[in-house]
Every structure is written in C-alpha cells, then in structure tokens.
Amino acid sequence: MALEVTERKAPARLRLWLLLGPAFVAAIAYVDPGNVAANLTAGARYGYLLVWVLVAANAIAVFVQYQSAKLGIVTGRSLPELLGARLGTAGRRAYWAQAELVAAATDIAEVIGGAIALNLLFGLPLPVGALVVGAAAIGILAVQSRRGQRPFEAVILALLGVIAVGFLAGLVVSPVDWRAAAGGLVPRFDGAPTVLLAASMLGATVMPHAIYLHSALARDRHGATGDTGRVRTLLRATRLDVVLALVLAGAVNIAMLLLAASALPGVAGTDTIEGAHAAIGAALGPVVAAVFAIGLLASGLASASVGSYAGATIMSGLLHMRVPLLVRRVVTLIPAVVILALGVDPTWALVLSQVLLSLGIPFAMIPLLRLTGSRQVMGAQADRVWVRWVGAGVAGLVIVLNLALVVLTVVSP
C-alpha cells in the first residue's frame, strides 16, 4: 500500500520508473546456464556469423514477454490461472503434467549450472555444489516469502548485474572486430552445422516457464485493477520494463558470442561449460576465467530461484493448490542432486533439459496469444489484428525451430 501511494504521488516520469521490475526477474530465463555453451560454441566455431540469431531471438523475446505481462495486468490473473479456469479436471491435470515437466527440467538445468560454477571456482564435487545452490536459492526465495515482491526483485536484479559483469568482463581485455560483428547482423548460414546451432540458439531462447511466470509477476507486483487509466499507465511502464530487461539480457548473450569470436576462434572443447571456462582461462588469464565462473554461479542461483517461482505459479493456477516456494525448492532439488551423484555428464543433462523445454513451447505460447487476442478476455486491450498476425508468425517460427532442435538432437550422433 505504501508503495502504491508513493507511485501515485511521484511525478509522472518517476512514477513510470517505480513500476519497473517484473521483466528483470523474467529476463533471468534468457541468461541461464543453458544458454552459455551454445553462445560460446557459436563464437568459437563460426566467429561473428550468427550474431543475427541472437538479435532475432531477443526481438522475439520482447514480444512474447510483453504479451505475458499484459495478460497479467489486464486480467489480474496469471496464464496458468486463466487456463485452469477453462479446462476440466482431467484437462487441467494433463496440462499441469506437461508444464510441471518443463518446470522440473528448468530446475535441473539451473542447479546443475550453479554446481558446475562452484566446481570451477572452489573444486566442490558436483552433488555438493547442487546442495549449496539449492540452499542459496532457498535463501533468495525466503526474501520473497517474508519481504514481498520488491525486495525479491532487488535481489534478482543484483544477481543479474553480477551475471552481466561476469559475461561482459572478458570483452574489456579481448578487443572485438566491430566491423566483422556488424557483418554478423546479416542473416546467413555456413553449412548444416550452423543451421543446427542457430536452431539451438533461437529455438530454445523463449522458455515456457518464463511465459507462464511473467503474467504472475506482473499480477503480483501491480495487483488487479479496474481503473482504465492505471491499466494504460501499467502497460506503458511494462513496455519500458520489458525492453530494458531484455536488451540487457540480449547484450549478455551477444557478449558471450563476441568474446568467443574474438578470443577463442577455432578452440576445441567450448561445447561444454567446463571446456569454455578452461579456454577462456588459457586465452585471457585466470582472473577473467574466475569472473566468468562467478557470473555463471550468479546465473544458476538466480535461475534456480525464478524457476521455483514459476513452478509454484503453474501448480497454483492449474491444480488450484498452493505449495510453499521453499517446499517446492527442496523437492525439485532432489532430481538434480541424484543426476549429478550418478555421474551423469552435466553438459548432456543441460542439453536434455533444453529439449524438454522445447517440447513445452507450444503449450505456453499458443494459449497466451489466443488469450491476449480475445476481446472477451482482454476487453479494449485485446491485440489488434496486425499484432495477432505477428504473434502467429512468431509462434510458428519458434515452434518450428524448437521441433527442429528436438529432431536434430535426437538423430545427431
């Protein structure tokens, strides 16, 4: 309530800035450990060739995440809640099962990424590192449970800052060929391997758990409102929020590719996070490698917390039951620890998690765009015809690329 009063008394421009935050939490999905190896591999193997893929991926992310936030603001309900209200009992349970599988895959990827970072920094065994990441994520989630949305956003934003520094620092000591980088903005490929890599980078960028979550983040932060003027203000702030957050996330991803293109051309082993870390250390020194690992650790911690938030949102909306965030964090930590304790290759586990996430894309994106285009649901804020056509094109592109990623991953030797 105090925050709302502050927002209303502040000057219009300041009031807009006070409304920012939810998109920065959702943006963590775009700089999670699952993105690191693909971006570094693209730069090390093909230089600046695939810069355009990350730019396109970021543009798609801006569109989709704004649609999700808009749904939460206008309706006062999350995407899972709206779906749960429209499905019968059997449908809700089936829909929850696939969404829960996606959320669990996300959790596994984030915990494993953080465990790899702790192993690189301190030599901790991977299962022990997974437990440390889980405990730290529980601490972050406790901030949300006890202090509310704004302090939680502040913690995640601080971690996002660490991630940005960790992945951007290498560019300071490794000059970029900016003319060649600009040439990478022209869409083109160089044989079948670059098509597969582009599908991995673009097709797996828009994550289903981020789509489910952003509607809840916007709803939890701003609350339901029937005030048409306030809705317009919130939507204007949300556009700024989404653009700023995802430009930052996009810059981090592009920086990883530029770093690899400038410092690691032709270096083998960058298709694993451990190999990329070793290559960075050999090329740029141990300090840059340590900063990179710290960024990876921050990515794992923030992503693990946000992933648990997403899972709780999905369960609450589709099963009509609430599970405390801390309980969910403990339960979903178990699969990651078991996988690492069994000696499963962590990079392979990350790849598999990305495939599972790809399968969940249509189940999140298609209902989202149908709801935001419905005048019955959105009223005067329903998408215009041209926005619906753009949405259909974006959804088709992302779904085709994700299906291609799954097929190519399964059939590749």
Side-chain angles (χ1 to χ4, degrees):
M1 180 64 69
L3 176 61
E4 185 174 337
V5 171
T6 300
E7 291 172 355
R8 290 178 177 176
K9 288 184 176 181
R13 185 171 298 178
L14 176 59
R15 186 164 64 243
L16 200 66
W17 286 96
L18 290 172
L19 295 171
L20 305 186
F24 286 88
V25 177
I28 291 295
Y30 296 90
V31 288
D32 70 356
N35 293 329
V36 176
N39 294 333
L40 291 175
T41 299
R45 290 185 182 177
Y46 302 107
Y48 303 101
L49 178 72
L50 298 177
V51 171
W52 68 271
V53 176
L54 292 178
V55 174
N58 212 53
I60 292 172
V62 169
F63 177 83
V64 174
Q65 294 304 138
Y66 173 72
Q67 292 295 98
S68 179
K70 175 182 173 181
L71 182 69
I73 289 170
V74 173
T75 65
R77 306 178 77 182
S78 69
L79 175 58
E81 286 175 340
L82 289 166
L83 291 173
R86 285 162 170 74
L87 297 172
T89 301
R92 283 192 294 107
R93 290 174 179 172
Y95 208 97
W96 168 78
Q98 64 80 28
E100 189 65 26
L101 182 62
V102 165
T106 303
D107 254 1
I108 290 171
E110 320 312 15
V111 171
I112 289 176
I116 292 173
L118 287 172
N119 176 262
L120 295 174
L121 287 167
F122 308 111
L124 285 182
L126 291 176
V128 175
L131 291 173
V132 172
V133 171
I138 288 172
I140 295 171
L141 289 170
V143 173
Q144 195 275 344
S145 299
R146 297 175 184 174
R147 304 276 183 162
Q149 189 77 4
R150 282 300 290 265
F152 176 70
E153 289 175 2
V155 172
I156 295 299
L157 184 57
L159 287 171
L160 183 58
V162 174
I163 295 167
V165 172
F167 293 143
L168 290 169
L171 295 180
V172 176
V173 295
S174 180
V176 173
D177 183 344
W178 292 109
R179 178 173 295 181
L185 295 174
V186 179
R188 64 191 189 280
F189 296 104
D190 184 14
T194 61
V195 177
L196 172 59
L197 191 53
S200 300
M201 296 163 64
L202 178 58
T205 292
V206 180
M207 297 297 181
H209 75 288
I211 298 174
Y212 292 121
L213 177 61
H214 205 162
S215 57
L217 290 169
R219 183 271 319 274
D220 293 346
R221 168 63 120 73
H222 303 303
T225 177
D227 185 338
T228 302
R230 179 164 171 78
V231 167
R232 284 198 294 265
T233 298
L234 291 175
L235 292 177
R236 188 163 60 251
T238 296
R239 283 191 287 271
L240 178 62
D241 194 27
V242 169
V243 169
L244 291 177
L246 291 178
V247 164
L248 175 59
V252 170
N253 281 312
I254 292 172
M256 283 188 267
L257 187 151
L258 296 180
L259 174 65
S262 61
L264 310 175
V267 176
T270 56
D271 52 348
T272 69
I273 294 177
E274 299 94 330
H277 176 264
I280 290 172
L284 303 177
V287 173
V288 175
V291 173
F292 172 86
I294 291 170
L296 178 64
L297 177 59
S299 172
L301 293 176
S303 301
S305 304
V306 172
S308 291
Y309 198 144
T313 297
I314 291 167
M315 181 173 288
S316 173
L318 291 170
L319 292 189
H320 300 164
M321 61 181 291
R322 292 189 178 277
V323 174
L325 285 173
L326 304 186
V327 173
R328 180 179 174 80
R329 173 68 275 166
V330 172
V331 172
T332 54
L333 178 64
I334 296 173
V337 175
V338 170
I339 287 172
L340 294 174
L342 291 174
V344 175
D345 177 64
T347 299
W348 181 86
L350 283 173
V351 170
L352 182 59
S353 72
Q354 298 304 302
V355 173
L356 290 174
L357 287 171
S358 299
L359 293 173
I361 281 286
F363 296 97
M365 185 175 289
I366 293 174
L368 170 67
L369 297 176
R370 285 181 64 86
L371 288 168
T372 56
S374 169
R375 185 166 290 275
Q376 181 181 0
V377 175
M378 302 291 288
Q381 298 298 334
D383 293 337
R384 297 180 180 179
V385 174
W386 71 267
V387 176
R388 294 201 293 271
W389 279 106
V390 169
V394 166
L397 175 63
V398 173
I399 290 168
V400 167
L401 285 170
N402 275 281
L403 290 176
L405 173 62
V406 172
V407 172
L408 291 171
T409 301
V410 171
V411 303
S412 62

